[in-house]
Amino acid sequence: MTDLTGNIVLGANQYGKAENRVVRIYRDAPRHEIHDINVSSALRGDFSAAHLAGDQSEVLPTDTQKQTAYAYAKEKGLRNLESYGLDLGRHFVDDTVPVQSARIELEEYAWERVTVGGKEHDHTWVRKGQETRVASVTVEGKGDAQKTWVTSGFKDLVILKSTGSEFAGFLEDSYTVLEPTHDRVMATSLETRWRYTRTDVDWDATYTGAKQAMVERFADVQSLALQQTLFEMGKAVLEKYPFIAEIRMSAPNKHHFVYDLSRFGLENPNEVFNADDRPYGLIQATVERDDAPDAGPAWRTYSVVG
Ligand SMILES: O=c1[nH]c(=O)c2[nH]c(=O)[nH]c2[nH]1
């Protein structure tokens, strides 16, 4: 086999901004609508000068592609993936001279309205796709001395409300930049476990009822912080089930930042958000009865390394 001696040339190429997490809320009526999407753009054309000579004169920055994705969610609207994708794709090709082709890939995360008292809620949803139910059982001792502990709960219950959440009046120091707000999106992926004091329990009905109590409280509390909402959710479960001694909850604050569209002359009154995945606030709390029996090994996990 002889060595190849041909010229080295640029082959197929494209560039764009991947995975913009755009959340569009329609809130002009009391019943809000949500579209929560992941959108990527890739532009194709003759970008050889950029690759061969570092010449950016034909390059529409990926940052501009991202800004357009957020601005279009407001300017053109985001009612479904297809029409929004067409608006974006046509814009890049029609309005950007070097762009010969644009590829827009989109996915939408489905949200289902929470029901409270049998009625669909106006501004609270759970992400479609079931949470994972979890349980633990610990049995110790033999015969009459035998003792049993049961915990149940779930993880990955993603829940969001598009209003009815505030965060203000917090402690400030010289590093505080956060602005207080009286109207924000609040979202979390809840993990929880509660501890039973008995084993003659209707496990399925209690699971469903505890989850529903938490979801209803999340929807209906005018939240001053996720900490307050968590306490209220835990309290709702303990109020409903006297045979539950305590409930533990871990709730990442899935931040939805209002996107700054003022740079494009657009108003954004809590309608277009960037759903940021990290970092996130992690709020964790136990709600318990002051007469709860000792937890014994109920929380001692299977893993010895934590
Ligand atoms: O509900 C919240 N609790 C916090 O402790 C906190 N901290 C923060 O920056 N945002 C929020 N939100």
Side-chain angles (χ1 to χ4, degrees):
M1 177 105 119
T2 54
D3 287 345
L4 300 174
T5 57
N7 292 331
I8 295 171
V9 297
L10 177 67
N13 62 88
Q14 60 181 16
Y15 77 102
K17 192 67 108 190
E19 305 209 49
N20 298 288
R21 290 283 289 104
V22 181
V23 177
R24 173 68 157 108
I25 309 255
Y26 286 92
R27 44 184 300 153
D28 18 271
R31 186 181 163 91
H32 293 185
E33 297 290 333
I34 185 169
H35 291 284
D36 178 359
I37 72 160
N38 192 18
V39 55
S40 302
S41 58
L43 306 185
R44 300 164 184 160
D46 179 3
F47 297 108
S48 50
H51 290 86
L52 304 182
D55 174 353
Q56 316 306 333
S57 56
E58 303 274 74
V59 171
L60 185 73
T62 66
D63 186 68
T64 307
Q65 297 174 45
K66 164 183 144 184
Q67 306 300 347
T68 312
Y70 285 92
Y72 265 37
K74 167 76 179 180
E75 225 176 327
K76 304 282 178 182
L78 172 42
R79 294 282 186 185
N80 57 62
L81 294 181
E82 292 79 3
S83 51
Y84 169 78
L86 283 166
D87 284 337
L88 270 181
R90 286 179 178 145
H91 161 70
F92 288 129
V93 175
D94 293 345
D95 303 337
T96 316
V97 173
V99 175
Q100 296 299 328
S101 164
R103 168 80 176 182
I104 313 294
E105 298 203 350
L106 310 107
E107 45 192 35
E108 179 160 14
Y109 305 108
W111 292 87
E112 209 164 40
R113 269 180 212 281
V114 158
T115 56
V116 176
K119 265 185 55 194
E120 285 191 342
H121 201 265
D122 277 344
H123 59 253
T124 308
W125 298 264
V126 288
R127 259 272 283 275
K128 260 194 193 147
Q130 285 297 302
E131 76 283 358
T132 303
R133 182 169 164 176
V134 299
S136 76
V137 172
T138 311
V139 181
E140 256 182 27
K142 294 180 185 295
D144 288 347
Q146 187 167 82
K147 286 190 180 167
T148 308
W149 291 266
V150 178
T151 74
S152 299
F154 53 80
K155 56 185 180 182
D156 302 331
L157 181 85
V158 184
I159 184 164
L160 176 149
K161 64 196 296 186
S162 55
T163 190
S165 166
E166 312 181 27
F167 191 66
F170 42 81
L171 190 64
E172 293 189 30
D173 69 10
S174 51
Y175 298 108
T176 303
V177 294
L178 186 71
E179 295 286 335
T181 175
H182 295 285
D183 189 6
R184 65 174 184 173
V185 166
M186 188 167 76
T188 187
S189 175
L190 184 65
E191 177 165 5
T192 180
R193 282 174 189 248
W194 51 87
R195 172 165 65 93
Y196 290 102
T197 55
R198 306 199 314 237
T199 53
D200 55 339
V201 167
D202 182 338
W203 305 113
D204 289 344
T206 309
Y207 177 81
T208 308
K211 181 180 136 194
Q212 182 62 21
M214 296 179 91
V215 161
E216 288 194 7
R217 200 59 67 94
F218 180 93
D220 277 349
V221 166
Q222 174 67 27
S223 176
L224 301 178
L226 187 47
Q227 286 90 329
Q228 182 210 16
T229 293
L230 276 195
F231 180 76
E232 288 295 325
M233 291 166 87
K235 194 167 128 210
V237 172
L238 297 194
E239 281 168 352
K240 193 164 178 178
Y241 297 110
F243 49 84
I244 293 179
E246 65 171 305
I247 176 166
R248 299 181 173 195
M249 290 160 290
S250 179
N253 192 354
K254 293 171 81 73
H255 302 298
H256 286 64
F257 294 114
V258 176
Y259 208 79
D260 179 9
L261 300 180
S262 63
R263 301 167 290 179
F264 316 121
L266 297 170
E267 285 186 6
N268 186 8
N270 275 352
E271 293 177 333
V272 179
F273 298 86
N274 170 32
D276 224 9
D277 68 340
R278 63 187 75 169
Y280 48 86
L282 185 57
I283 314 298
Q284 300 175 295
T286 300
V287 182
E288 59 197 9
R289 297 180 193 280
D290 61 8
D291 59 349
D294 187 73
W299 300 113
R300 230 173 87 196
T301 64
Y302 168 77
S303 165
V304 293
V305 290

